């Protein structure tokens, strides 16, 4: 995959999440997880060497963190030291925007995998 396509994926990832956020509801915990994944992807792509290999690896790792963070905090967070209490418990239906942000992050991760092939 061309380097310009990978850079376009880095631009399209947050742009897609912003569009989804403008059209539907996304909970802050999913936005934070997606932002953290994007930040990790940028750090890997801009600081690790060799750059040709790390740009797609950054997409893969960042998308994994974003999707894992959204899915992992979907119903709440339980800390190791207090397993009897769920912090930020969410009993309602998961918003469609959360799922769309997860799917978009996964698509970006797949683009990174395809770039490594």
């Amino acid at each position: 995959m061309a380097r310009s396509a990978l850079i376009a994926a880095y631009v399209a990832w947050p742009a897609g999440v912003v569009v989804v956020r403008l059209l539907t509801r996304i909970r802050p915990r999913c936005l934070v997880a997606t932002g953290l994944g994007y930040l990790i992807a940028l750090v890997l792509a801009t600081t690790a060497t060799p750059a040709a290999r790390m740009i797609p690896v950054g997409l893969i790792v960042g998308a994994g963190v974003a999707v894992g963070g959204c899915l992992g905090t979907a119903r709440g967070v339980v800390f190791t030291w207090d397993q009897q209490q769920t912090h930020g418990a969410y009993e309602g239906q998961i918003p469609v925007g959360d799922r769309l942000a997860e799917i978009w992050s996964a698509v970006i991760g797949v683009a990174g995998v395809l770039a490594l092939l």
Side-chain angles (χ1 to χ4, degrees):
M1 186 177 288
R3 185 177 176 106
S4 59
L6 291 172
I7 294 172
Y10 274 96
V11 173
W13 188 3
V17 172
V18 167
V19 168
V20 169
R21 172 62 185 104
L22 292 174
L23 298 176
T24 62
R25 179 174 172 262
I26 300 178
R27 294 176 300 164
R29 67 179 82 180
C30 189
L31 287 175
V32 167
T34 303
L36 180 64
Y38 185 68
L39 181 65
I40 290 170
L42 285 177
V43 167
L44 283 175
T46 57
T47 60
T49 56
R53 178 67 87 193
M54 293 312 291
I55 291 174
V57 169
L59 283 175
I60 296 167
V61 172
V65 168
V67 172
C70 284
L71 290 174
T73 62
R75 294 283 175 202
V77 178
V78 177
F79 295 104
T80 305
W81 60 84
D82 187 15
Q83 295 183 2
Q84 303 303 321
Q85 183 179 6
T86 301
H87 300 275
Y90 191 78
E91 300 298 331
Q93 184 177 357
I94 304 298
V96 174
D98 283 19
R99 296 299 179 221
L100 291 175
E102 293 164 7
I103 291 168
W104 184 240
S105 295
V107 166
I108 295 297
V110 168
V113 170
L114 291 176
L116 284 178
L117 297 179

